[in-house]
């Protein structure tokens, strides 16, 4: 069973920064792609950033240059550093892992950007 422990999020003013974390087990960390989705009220859930098991990364166009996905190999944790945040980044952010075609999503954490 894939377990994802999420932390981070909160409320900051526009232009500020936040960092999300997602920890998991060692085997999941090594073998599965992981990243974040986000969902704003009334909108579809969309991929924000993904770090594939081969180390490659991808970002939603709207966050390119502002968000960075990374990992801590010692603590089996992946991070989403979010800089230059905008009000339109307000959403619930969900950590997710894709293992052999199966996607597991965490409970999510709220990110609110105020103007």
């Amino acid at each position: 069973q894939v377990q994802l422990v999420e932390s981070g999020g909160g409320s900051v003013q526009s232009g500020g920064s936040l960092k999300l974390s997602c920890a998991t087990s060692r085997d999941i960390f090594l073998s599965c792609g992981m990243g974040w989705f986000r969902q704003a009220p009334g909108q579809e859930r969309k991929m924000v950033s993904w770090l594939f098991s081969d180390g490659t990364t991808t970002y939603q166009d709207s966050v390119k240059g502002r968000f960075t996905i990374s990992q801590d190999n010692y603590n089996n944790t992946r991070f989403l550093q979010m800089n230059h945040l905008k009000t339109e980044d307000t959403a619930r952010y969900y950590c997710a892992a894709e293992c052999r075609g199966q996607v597991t999503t965490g409970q999510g954490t709220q990110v609110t950007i105020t103007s």
Side-chain angles (χ1 to χ4, degrees), residues 103-114:
V103 178
T104 301
T105 304
Q107 293 186 332
T109 185
Q110 180 66 32
V111 170
T112 301
I113 312 304
T114 59

Side-chain angles (χ1 to χ4, degrees), residues 29-71:
F29 181 82
L30 292 177
S31 61
C32 302
M34 287 175 60
W36 276 265
F37 292 85
R38 69 184 180 186
Q39 186 169 20
Q43 296 186 20
E44 294 182 348
R45 187 173 296 187
K46 296 181 180 179
M47 189 277 293
V48 177
S49 181
W50 202 261
L51 198 160
F52 295 91
S53 55
D54 65 359
T56 58
T57 59
T58 189
Y59 297 90
Q60 183 188 113
D61 285 347
S62 66
V63 307
K64 285 180 180 178
R66 300 189 296 121
F67 290 13
T68 303
I69 193 168
S70 63
Q71 63 186 28

Side-chain angles (χ1 to χ4, degrees), residues 1-114:
Q1 185 178 0
V2 176
Q3 292 189 327
L4 303 171
V5 179
E6 299 177 83
S7 61
S11 180
V12 295
Q13 287 190 323
S14 179
S17 299
L18 287 171
K19 188 174 185 177
L20 306 182
S21 301
C22 185
T24 189
S25 62
R26 186 68 176 166
D27 61 334
I28 298 300
F29 181 82
L30 292 177
S31 61
C32 302
M34 287 175 60
W36 276 265
F37 292 85
R38 69 184 180 186
Q39 186 169 20
Q43 296 186 20
E44 294 182 348
R45 187 173 296 187
K46 296 181 180 179
M47 189 277 293
V48 177
S49 181
W50 202 261
L51 198 160
F52 295 91
S53 55
D54 65 359
T56 58
T57 59
T58 189
Y59 297 90
Q60 183 188 113
D61 285 347
S62 66
V63 307
K64 285 180 180 178
R66 300 189 296 121
F67 290 13
T68 303
I69 193 168
S70 63
Q71 63 186 28
D72 177 347
N73 294 326
Y74 183 78
N75 291 303
N76 306 323
T77 301
R78 289 191 166 107
F79 304 98
L80 184 66
Q81 178 67 46
M82 305 184 292
N83 299 326
H84 306 294
L85 284 160
K86 305 175 181 180
T87 54
E88 52 262 44
D89 293 318
T90 294
R92 191 164 184 85
Y93 285 67
Y94 297 87
C95 176
E98 186 274 321
C99 306
R100 295 177 291 279
Q102 297 293 320
V103 178
T104 301
T105 304
Q107 293 186 332
T109 185
Q110 180 66 32
V111 170
T112 301
I113 312 304
T114 59

